[in-house]
């Protein structure tokens, strides 16, 4: 039995029955990390001692007959979640040596659920990017066709690289404009952006506070649901946290497809996507129809403007959020000739180019001469998009759409900033509206690389989003066993 | 809208980042801003701006201290070692003699 090919649901069964121990499972992951970790560059910081200690505690609980919900499950934590006593970098030079003295709510909930922490996964600097190559620590890569050095996506690309390659059984991401769904889609994984407010942002390094959404990344929809069950819930430390929960015991219950009304977004028809994406999306729609679902067309009139609205709102919020990195109380400090010069030198040395670009853009759109023209106009377009989704959900139960235009590109693709931003086209609108969306594998393209499609629901309908995603997962039947993807 | 080199330098100053003119140019800020202009054509008359997806009203709690005596924890990541040993954050001088 190849332990690192197990899903979370399978591993939990074997742990409960005593067939395997948490320590054996953890060692299997640590061994595989030893073999492939450097090549994939999916972890910024490894925590093998912590992992073995977590696993030992877990085994004690199994032996005593009172295991926790995810006891002994070895996960990777995006290095944006503060972990007490473990370096938390946000993949930035400015936080390269930052070790928090507090634990983020999400990572604490995973501790409370009994998981084993393997390490902190790589990402784009401050989660700004789509290839994870703005990371100060270099980019992770996809385990698919590894000799071609393809991107594992971004910004949660360290977690997708780790989970797809069997260097973690599942993990966390954060999704501000697609940072869970895009990387999951191009690495054959399930990536769930829950409803805004379902998972606490407390202790998660802030990028754009009205958009940032922590969520799970896993190999199956059931696994994503199990991870989300651990992460979700009200948190008094986050004022935007909702009084809502999410809970699945072992596996998701089935949702009947008969008479389920599923919307397809008309405006996305005009977007150029790869023939593979179109073919696989149409095939899955046919599968849904054959199973009795009713497919209708819905309109979100301004959805193609969501990208520009997003690239105003997110940089604006980021330019304000990142003001805290001033080199005075923590993080990098580069001495200058006076206080202002120290700030400027610290931030010039500490932030990478993309982060600097977004902060300049964010400051420009917030400046007195352009605040109304850009920022407030973007906030109004955001309202139009959110309202249009609400109207669409009066006609249908759930919406489906592609997750990306095509398969993973080589890491060294030379794209302009705007070309990178365009990769978020299918994902940003759901962040603006704050609604749940799950990317689920919909099949393999001609080039043998995976593609994903999204299931989108109304706010707090996360359960049905995952239930429909599970049907699509079954129709697609993608094999994402790490040992077979990597051939070893 | 387009911004002059001086305006972009002003923004860089406001966010306290030293950026050379060459680097600012290389960042292609203008091409990004120009692309954002496409939103101007959308009629949003009478539309309430949406600043957050949160629909609940914010909860209140009693204004009481919830943590204390954590000075040393707060200082652990301080970049200036001398200040840290003395129990405070040491920062560059901000007042003239």
């Amino acid at each position: 039995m190849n332990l690192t090919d197990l899903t979370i649901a399978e591993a939990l069964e074997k742990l409960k029955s005593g067939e395997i121990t948490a320590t054996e499972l953890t060692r299997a992951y640590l061994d595989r990390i030893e073999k492939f970790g450097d090549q994939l560059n999916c972890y910024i910081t490894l925590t093998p001692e912590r992992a073995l200690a977590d696993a030992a505690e877990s085994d004690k609980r199994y032996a005593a007959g009172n295991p926790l919900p995810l006891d002994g499950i070895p996960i990777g934590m995006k290095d944006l979640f503060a972990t007490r006593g473990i370096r938390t970098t946000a993949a930035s030079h400015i936080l390269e040596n930052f070790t928090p003295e507090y634990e983020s709510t999400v990572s604490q909930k995973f501790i409370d659920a009994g998981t084993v922490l393997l390490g902190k996964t790589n990402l784009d600097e401050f989660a700004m990017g789509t290839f994870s190559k703005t990371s100060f620590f270099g980019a992770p890569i996809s385990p698919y066709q590894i000799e071609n050095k393809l991107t594992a996506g971004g910004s949660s690309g360290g977690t997708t690289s780790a989970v797809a390659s069997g260097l973690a059984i599942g993990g966390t991401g954060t999704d501000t404009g697609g940072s869970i769904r895009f990387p999951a889609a191009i690495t054959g994984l399930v990536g769930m952006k829950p409803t805004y407010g379902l998972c606490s942002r407390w202790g998660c390094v802030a990028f754009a506070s009205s958009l940032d959404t922590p969520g799970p990344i896993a190999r199956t929809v059931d696994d994503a649901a199990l991870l989300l069950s651990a992460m979700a819930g009200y948190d008094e430390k986050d004022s935007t946290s909702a009084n809502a929960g999410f809970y699945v015991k072992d596996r998701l219950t089935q949702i009947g497809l008969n008479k389920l009304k599923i919307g397809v977004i008309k405006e996305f028809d005009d977007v150029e996507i790869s023939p593979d994406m179109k073919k696989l999306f149409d095939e899955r729609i046919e599968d849904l129809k054959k199973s009795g679902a009713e497919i209708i067309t819905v309109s979100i009139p301004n959805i193609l403007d969501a990208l520009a609205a997003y690239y105003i709102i997110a940089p604006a919020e980021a330019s304000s959020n990142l003001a805290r990195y001033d080199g005075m109380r923590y993080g990098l400090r580069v001495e200058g000739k006076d206080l202002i010069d120290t700030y400027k030198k610290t931030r010039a040395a500490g932030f990478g180019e993309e982060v600097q670009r977004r902060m300049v853009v964010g400051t420009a759109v917030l400046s007195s001469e352009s605040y109304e023209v850009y920022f407030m106009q973007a906030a109004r377009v955001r309202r139009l998009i959110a309202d249009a989704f609400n109207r669409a959900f009066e006609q249908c139960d759930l919406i489906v759409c592609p997750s990306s235009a095509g398969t993973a590109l080589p890491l060294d693709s030379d794209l302009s900033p705007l070309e990178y931003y365009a990769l978020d086209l299918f994902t940003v609108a759901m962040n603006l509206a704050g609604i749940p969306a799950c990317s689920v594998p919909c099949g393999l393209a001609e080039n043998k690389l995976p593609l994903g499609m999204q299931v989108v629901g109304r706010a707090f309908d996360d359960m049905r989003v995952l239930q429909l995603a599970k049907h699509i997962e079954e129709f697609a039947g993608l094999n994402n066993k790490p040992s077979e993807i990597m051939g070893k | 809208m387009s911004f002059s080199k001086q305006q972009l330098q002003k923004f860089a100053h406001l966010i306290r980042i030293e950026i050379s003119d060459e680097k600012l140019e290389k960042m292609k800020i203008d091409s990004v801003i120009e692309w954002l202009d496409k939103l101007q054509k959308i009629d949003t008359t009478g539309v309430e701006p949406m600043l957050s997806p949160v629909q609940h009203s914010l909860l209140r709690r009693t204004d009481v201290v919830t943590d204390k005596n954590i000075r040393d924890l707060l200082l652990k990541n301080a970049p200036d070692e001398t200040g840290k040993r003395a129990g405070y954050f040491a920062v560059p001088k901000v007042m003239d003699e």
Side-chain angles (χ1 to χ4, degrees):
Chain A
M1 178 174 48
N2 202 334
L3 291 181
T4 50
D5 276 348
L6 295 175
T7 64
I8 296 175
E10 289 165 350
L12 283 172
E13 276 172 20
K14 292 187 190 304
L15 286 162
K16 277 178 202 158
S17 70
E19 193 184 334
I20 59 171
T21 66
T23 302
E24 283 165 2
L25 185 62
T26 300
R27 282 197 191 281
Y29 278 97
L30 293 175
D31 288 349
R32 197 166 164 87
I33 289 171
E34 182 84 13
K35 274 193 209 125
F36 303 117
D38 287 346
Q39 188 183 9
L40 289 155
N41 198 26
C42 48
Y43 285 99
I44 290 176
T45 305
L46 286 165
T47 54
E49 286 165 19
R50 158 79 182 268
L52 289 168
D54 286 348
E57 288 301 312
S58 177
D59 283 329
K60 276 187 213 157
R61 287 188 293 264
Y62 276 111
N66 54 0
L68 296 163
L70 293 179
D71 228 330
I73 294 300
I75 59 164
M77 184 71 59
K78 187 175 185 179
D79 202 18
L80 208 56
F81 293 96
T83 41
R84 187 185 293 114
I86 297 166
R87 179 169 82 131
T88 300
T89 69
S92 181
H93 182 37
I94 211 158
L95 287 177
E96 189 184 355
N97 297 308
F98 176 66
T99 302
E101 291 299 327
Y102 56 94
E103 189 78 31
S104 77
T105 298
V106 161
S107 54
Q108 182 62 50
K109 280 173 175 284
F110 276 109
I111 293 171
D112 297 342
T115 59
V116 169
L117 182 70
L118 293 168
K120 305 294 293 290
T121 58
N122 207 344
L123 66 151
D124 278 296
E125 185 180 8
F126 286 102
M128 296 180 194
T130 34
F131 275 27
S132 296
K133 62 183 190 182
T134 69
S135 169
F136 178 70
F137 302 92
I141 56 169
S142 167
Y144 283 86
Q145 301 170 8
I146 200 158
E147 64 285 358
N148 294 338
K149 288 209 164 64
L150 302 172
T151 176
S155 69
S156 311
T159 303
T160 55
S161 168
V163 177
S165 60
L167 304 196
I169 199 165
T172 56
T174 58
D175 192 312
T176 304
S179 280
I180 286 175
R181 290 162 288 157
F182 175 71
I186 60 170
T187 53
L189 299 174
V190 177
M192 171 71 178
K193 182 206 99 68
T195 302
Y196 182 87
L198 187 62
C199 297
S200 170
R201 291 180 298 108
W202 192 83
C204 178
V205 174
F207 161 14
S209 305
S210 82
L211 302 160
D212 294 345
T213 318
I217 292 168
R219 279 183 32 231
T220 69
V221 180
D222 276 328
D223 284 6
L226 288 169
L227 293 175
L228 183 58
S229 299
M231 297 171 78
Y234 173 69
D235 178 17
E236 61 177 16
K237 292 181 193 154
D238 174 1
S239 65
T240 60
S241 169
N243 188 12
F246 178 94
Y247 181 68
V248 164
K249 192 166 179 299
D250 297 314
R251 278 161 210 261
L252 283 158
T253 54
Q254 284 273 343
I255 187 181
L257 287 176
N258 200 25
K259 298 279 182 328
L260 191 73
K261 276 193 177 173
I262 300 174
V264 173
I265 300 171
K266 188 178 75 172
E267 288 75 13
F268 279 161
D269 277 352
D270 300 336
V271 180
E272 200 180 320
I273 56 173
S274 70
D276 286 314
M277 184 68 239
K278 179 153 178 32
K279 176 171 159 281
L280 291 172
F281 184 72
D282 290 346
E283 281 176 14
R284 298 295 80 83
I285 293 283
E286 276 309 307
D287 291 334
L288 291 167
K289 271 188 196 161
K290 278 188 206 139
S291 308
E294 187 185 339
I295 306 292
I296 63 163
T297 302
V298 294
S299 174
I300 312 287
N302 295 109
I303 199 160
L304 298 181
D305 299 309
L307 202 57
Y310 172 84
Y311 275 97
I312 291 172
I313 293 167
E317 293 189 19
S319 70
S320 166
N321 267 327
L322 271 57
R324 71 191 68 177
Y325 303 103
D326 58 3
M328 295 299 121
R329 292 149 297 145
Y330 54 87
L332 180 77
R333 183 190 290 184
V334 179
E335 300 292 344
K337 64 181 191 304
D338 54 23
L339 181 68
I340 301 286
D341 195 44
T342 300
Y343 287 152
K344 286 188 169 182
K345 288 197 158 58
T346 296
R347 292 162 63 81
F351 294 133
E353 182 175 319
E354 181 58 26
V355 173
Q356 295 189 12
R357 174 184 292 111
R358 294 203 195 186
M359 287 208 286
V360 175
V361 170
T363 310
V365 298
L366 286 173
S367 65
S368 52
E369 60 267 48
S370 48
Y371 182 73
E372 271 298 322
V373 182
Y374 290 110
F375 185 72
M376 290 308 265
Q377 175 71 355
R380 290 188 183 96
V381 172
R382 181 179 191 178
R383 172 81 59 194
L384 290 176
I385 291 166
D387 287 351
F389 270 115
N390 285 337
R391 278 197 303 277
F393 286 124
E394 285 167 11
Q395 297 169 264
C396 64
D397 299 299
L398 293 154
I399 289 174
V400 292
C401 65
S403 300
S404 70
T407 54
L409 294 170
L411 196 58
D412 60 6
S413 306
D414 188 22
L415 306 184
S416 74
L418 289 179
E419 287 169 322
Y420 278 115
Y421 299 172
L423 295 169
D424 293 333
L425 183 70
F426 292 104
T427 51
V428 289
M430 299 73 172
N431 296 79
L432 292 175
I435 54 180
C438 178
S439 178
V440 58
C442 63
L444 278 185
E446 285 275 320
N447 61 8
K448 304 286 176 229
L449 292 173
L451 282 165
M453 64 187 270
Q454 294 181 83
V455 180
V456 186
R458 62 194 76 172
F460 299 106
D461 205 7
D462 302 67
M463 186 64 81
R464 280 205 304 177
V465 166
L466 287 166
Q467 285 169 322
L468 178 57
K470 187 169 171 172
H471 280 290
I472 295 170
E473 172 181 59
E474 281 164 12
F475 292 140
L478 183 87
N479 176 1
N480 61 8
K481 281 204 172 99
S483 66
E484 291 176 33
I485 291 169
M486 297 187 72
K488 50 198 167 186
Chain B
M1 205 182 257
S2 84
F3 293 100
S4 66
K5 203 166 74 183
Q6 287 77 9
Q7 277 173 305
L8 291 178
Q9 275 299 353
K10 191 187 95 180
F11 298 142
H13 170 71
L14 286 174
I15 50 170
R16 304 290 188 255
I17 301 180
E18 189 177 82
I19 310 180
S20 66
D21 285 343
E22 293 94 306
K23 192 168 174 196
L24 257 183
E25 199 155 315
K26 227 185 77 196
M27 282 186 181
K28 299 181 183 152
I29 307 281
D30 263 346
S31 73
V32 175
I33 303 270
E34 197 184 323
W35 168 69
L36 299 176
D37 279 333
K38 66 186 267 194
L39 286 191
Q40 305 312 322
K41 65 178 196 306
I42 302 168
D43 183 6
T44 56
T45 322
V47 177
E48 174 85 3
M50 178 173 170
L51 300 175
S52 162
V54 173
Q55 287 169 17
H56 62 263
S57 52
L58 298 186
L59 294 169
R60 293 164 181 238
R61 67 165 174 85
T62 327
D63 186 13
V64 290
V65 176
T66 54
D67 53 13
K68 52 189 162 188
N69 300 329
I70 54 169
R71 187 192 71 177
D72 292 345
L73 284 186
L74 291 175
L75 282 169
K76 269 209 169 148
N77 282 286
D80 187 296
E81 287 298 326
T82 324
K84 193 160 131 181
R85 277 195 296 275
Y88 51 75
F89 293 111
V91 301
K93 195 169 65 164
V94 287
M95 308 229 287
D96 290 331
E97 318 253 322

